[in-house]
Amino acid sequence: MSHRRYMKSLNMDEAELRSRRAFCGLTDDDLERLRSLRGFAEQHTTGIVNAFYDLLLAHEQTRKFFPDDAAIRRVKRMQSEYFLALFEGRCDLAYVEDRLRVGAAHERIGLAPKWYLAAYAKYLELLGDQVHASFPREEAIPLYVSVTKIVFFDITLAIDTYIAANMDTVQRHQAALRELSTPVIRVHDRILLLPLVGAIDSVRAQQIMDTVLTRIVEEKARCIIIDIAGVPVVDTKVADSLVKTTASVRLLGAQTILTGISAQVARTIVQLGVDISPMHTCSRLQEGIELALDLVGKTITEKRG
Amino acid sequence: MSGTIPILRMGDVLLTTVHVELRDAVAEAFQADVLAAIEKGQIRGLVIDISGLDMVDTYVARILAETGRMARLMGTVTVLCGMRPEIAATLVRMGYPMDGVHAALDLDEGLERLRSLRGRR
Amino acid sequence: MTPITVTSRREMPVEVEDDVILVRRAVRDLAQARGFDAFASAAVTTATSELTRNIWVHADKGVAVIEELSTGDRYGIRVTFRDEGPGIAHVDRVLAGGFSTARSLGLGLSGSRRLVDDFRLETTVGQGTTVEIVKWKSI
């Protein structure tokens, strides 16, 4: 996902930014303090960034994310920029976008949140050491608190990035599942077959009807066989959606044949009082195929000799 | 308004393509034109091509269904062809499945359907 | 419950027949521009056409407000139809689609309801009617 999409999915605007800053307690005073630390930061960047990556490279599980010297140089440079940006004394939408860009990059290379967050802890430790070593106690403590606040603000963004990326993956999987769930097959000239498997809820029912109609026009089909042997529950809603599908298929000049009707399903449909008379129905798929061929003016004959 | 929607005659079949949005005046004139054409010549079949319509609401659906019923009273079989899949879906979902009309995928199918329907009578 | 943000708003008068066509074209164009598939686009456009026509036919004049909605994971098109017409008597029966004296009105109303995701209707006999529809799309 691009950082722009993260901005969108986080609803990131001025109001959202204000509310996050308020929650983290990140005030303008804190930003002022951070800006006053700028010189200090520039002095200690290299040392802190090096120590930071020494940690990541010392551990087997994190070393693999930085395969070669070029990769390490690159991330050290990015990290230095990141580190210095903490002390610019600004926390506006542009700052957030930058953070999201960094987060997106980490998510893309597959660096899991547990490493990312543990690394932040190391960051704070290294910074803390330097701040306490360089400033008298009464100054060091408020400075360090401001640093902590902005780092935590960044951490919330990093976590949200991971969550958003996961949601995106889930949605893409759902889309793929949807496509797989309505496999319309052309079995012969002008004859389509749709074997339905699995439960049919109202969302899926709608997708099925839309896909069926689109495919009928694409294939100029005269007949579609819908096999429901694989549908575990046929209740009023499912029966109703089959009726609707048949009615709309008719408006495209085609006919629907329903097959795979078990005794149980036959009983349910009649007891529910659903009128499926406009549909051709068969118990087995084979009968449905023979009927479909008949409807388009064809027949299966035995070979002679 | 009359003549907005062209009506072609092919033997004893009328072909008409609805290519514009059916405002009230246009729709009424269309209906009148069709019936006048049926009355004038020995027309046994009517094919209405709606492939140009990207929306059919209950008003348009009613005009089309009515035209079909009026034509039948005058001895003419009507076939509606070229309905877009999203329109078929919308009409049925709305609860207006247009049960009384014959339908075909396109013009060719429509003419063939007419032939087979008339063959049965 | 994620808060809903209105990202755009457009008000269109409904007074003459051409307005019905203009309003539904505006909704159709918006749905297509925002990536609604053909089926969703046809659904919201047709519902819009029904409800705008209702204003023109039964109330003589009114207004249609087209808004774009946004939550974290969904995008929506909301159309609100307002008129100061006669209102709808026996609205429950009309919505059920079977009440004969208001047949065309009922068909359009109940039909539209089935085409959209959210549907709200407020009506007072003698004062007017407001109908609000929303069609959503995941982003």
Side-chain angles (χ1 to χ4, degrees):
Chain A
M1 261 174 82
S2 77
H3 68 276
R4 240 159 279 135
R5 276 193 65 187
Y6 282 122
M7 289 286 278
K8 265 189 85 172
S9 72
L10 265 49
N11 262 338
M12 191 52 69
D13 55 16
E14 292 291 345
E16 173 66 21
L17 174 62
R18 261 196 307 275
S19 104
R20 278 177 188 250
R21 276 187 53 178
F23 213 72
C24 289
L26 186 59
T27 64
D28 287 335
D29 283 343
D30 291 308
L31 294 176
E32 254 314 299
R33 242 171 261 136
L34 288 166
R35 200 194 342 252
S36 75
L37 273 178
R38 178 86 191 190
F40 161 86
E42 277 163 8
Q43 247 185 314
H44 294 277
T45 308
T46 315
I48 290 182
V49 170
N50 281 339
F52 185 80
Y53 281 100
D54 285 344
L55 165 72
L56 291 174
L57 293 169
H59 286 261
E60 199 186 306
Q61 296 104 315
T62 43
R63 196 181 313 146
K64 64 181 182 198
F65 291 107
F66 312 98
D68 54 46
D69 283 342
I72 295 170
R73 268 199 302 279
R74 227 186 356 258
V75 291
K76 279 191 178 178
R77 195 176 39 243
M78 262 180 59
Q79 197 62 234
S80 300
E81 285 171 15
Y82 174 83
F83 177 75
L84 285 173
L86 290 173
F87 303 94
E88 268 171 43
R90 70 177 173 111
C91 183
D92 52 17
L93 285 177
Y95 176 82
V96 170
E97 245 193 274
D98 276 337
R99 267 34 196 164
L100 290 177
R101 206 176 283 127
V102 170
H106 282 109
E107 196 279 329
R108 262 198 303 273
I109 65 173
L111 187 63
K114 65 180 173 182
W115 306 123
Y116 201 47
L117 297 178
Y120 264 117
K122 189 66 185 175
Y123 224 46
L124 283 174
E125 184 195 321
L126 295 167
L127 265 175
D129 284 344
Q130 288 298 341
V131 167
H132 281 95
S134 314
F135 296 90
R137 196 185 158 82
E138 329 78 67
E139 279 183 56
I141 292 179
L143 283 171
Y144 185 62
V145 165
S146 295
V147 169
T148 314
K149 285 185 188 175
I150 198 166
V151 167
F152 269 89
F153 178 86
D154 282 10
I155 288 175
T156 64
L157 289 175
I159 294 179
D160 277 331
T161 308
Y162 278 97
I163 295 176
N166 278 341
M167 293 257 322
D168 187 59
T169 305
V170 165
Q171 274 167 9
R172 276 185 287 114
H173 285 171
Q174 281 173 346
L177 265 174
R178 272 199 295 273
E179 273 184 40
L180 284 171
S181 84
T182 314
V184 176
I185 308 155
R186 182 181 168 276
V187 295
H188 198 74
D189 246 2
R190 341 282 309 258
I191 302 176
L192 300 177
L193 167 64
L194 169 60
L196 284 178
V197 175
I200 299 178
D201 62 11
S202 59
V203 173
R204 191 173 172 207
Q206 185 171 303
Q207 286 157 2
I208 289 170
M209 184 157 129
D210 293 352
T211 306
V212 162
L213 296 174
T214 306
R215 296 284 283 133
I216 286 178
V217 170
E218 274 171 14
E219 301 283 344
K220 293 190 195 286
R222 286 230 184 121
C223 193
I224 177 157
I225 304 165
I226 301 181
D227 185 86
I228 59 170
V231 178
V233 175
V234 178
D235 57 14
T236 321
K237 290 214 174 87
V238 175
D240 183 62
S241 77
L242 290 170
V243 167
K244 284 207 170 74
T245 302
T246 302
S248 52
V249 164
R250 193 195 73 84
L251 287 172
L252 300 184
Q255 301 187 65
T256 308
I257 299 172
L258 200 63
T259 64
I261 298 183
S262 67
Q264 174 60 43
V265 169
R267 205 175 325 171
T268 307
I269 290 180
V270 171
Q271 282 171 347
L272 285 174
V274 178
D275 177 22
I276 57 164
S277 51
M279 270 185 254
H280 298 285
T281 52
C282 305
S283 141
R284 297 179 314 143
L285 178 58
Q286 172 166 343
E287 290 153 24
I289 293 178
E290 285 162 11
L291 175 57
L293 286 166
D294 186 54
L295 289 175
V296 304
K298 300 203 163 123
T299 185
I300 299 177
T301 52
E302 295 282 345
K303 279 208 279 211
R304 255 182 285 248
Chain B
M1 283 300 118
S2 170
T4 307
I5 295 178
I7 303 175
L8 292 169
R9 193 195 155 128
M10 259 177 49
D12 60 357
V13 170
L14 287 182
L15 283 178
T16 169
T17 303
V18 180
H19 62 293
V20 290
E21 315 217 33
L22 282 179
R23 300 152 185 263
D24 283 32
V26 173
E28 274 158 43
F30 166 66
Q31 216 170 60
D33 288 350
V34 164
L35 297 176
I38 293 177
E39 195 178 39
K40 209 165 64 176
Q42 277 125 2
I43 301 295
R44 295 283 173 253
L46 167 65
V47 179
I48 306 178
D49 181 348
I50 57 168
S51 54
L53 288 182
D54 68 352
M55 191 224 56
V56 172
D57 58 12
T58 56
Y59 173 72
V60 175
R62 189 163 48 87
I63 294 287
L64 294 170
E66 267 178 12
T67 307
R69 280 201 292 277
M70 293 170 186
R72 190 169 70 221
L73 282 175
M74 294 169 71
T76 301
V77 178
T78 306
V79 177
L80 205 59
C81 73
M83 190 180 294
R84 294 191 195 174
E86 62 268 22
I87 293 182
T90 304
L91 283 171
V92 168
R93 283 175 178 142
M94 267 203 288
Y96 207 102
M98 296 186 74
D99 288 339
V101 301
H102 298 290
L105 189 67
D106 55 29
L107 203 49
D108 281 339
E109 296 282 310
L111 289 167
E112 204 187 307
R113 173 68 68 82
L114 260 190
R115 257 173 264 137
S116 73
L117 282 169
R118 293 169 55 189
R120 287 191 219 139
R121 291 209 285 137
Chain C
M1 274 281 304
T2 355
I4 296 174
T5 319
V6 178
T7 55
S8 88
R9 186 179 191 279
R10 179 179 173 186
E11 197 168 300
M12 299 179 72
V14 178
E15 280 160 35
V16 297
E17 190 183 4
D18 276 4
D19 291 336
V20 176
I21 295 177
L22 290 173
V23 171
R24 75 161 175 255
R25 272 192 204 156
V27 170
R28 180 199 64 194
D29 292 347
L30 184 59
Q32 282 172 357
R34 297 289 181 257
F36 281 77
D37 69 26
F39 292 89
S41 178
V44 71
T45 304
T46 308
T48 296
S49 188
E50 296 290 340
L51 297 169
T52 316
R53 253 191 97 80
N54 277 357
I55 295 180
W56 175 58
V57 169
H58 299 279
D60 201 41
K61 80 172 212 179
V63 93
V65 179
I66 305 170
E67 292 168 295
E68 294 183 74
L69 308 178
S70 165
T71 71
D73 54 358
R74 290 196 302 174
Y75 165 87
I77 294 179
R78 176 166 71 193
V79 194
T80 308
F81 305 86
R82 259 201 297 277
D83 68 65
E84 280 161 30
I88 305 168
H90 311 290
V91 70
D92 291 333
R93 277 191 268 175
V94 169
L95 275 175
F99 206 34
S100 60
T101 62
R103 198 164 167 276
S104 70
L105 181 72
L107 203 54
L109 274 176
S110 60
S112 304
R113 192 192 215 177
R114 287 180 215 131
L115 294 178
V116 298
D117 299 312
D118 303 339
F119 181 96
R120 251 183 14 173
L121 183 150
E122 276 164 29
T123 184
T124 309
V125 173
Q127 277 185 33
T129 307
T130 300
V131 183
E132 183 188 287
I133 60 172
V134 184
K135 190 79 176 168
W136 293 102
K137 173 180 182 290
S138 311
I139 39 171

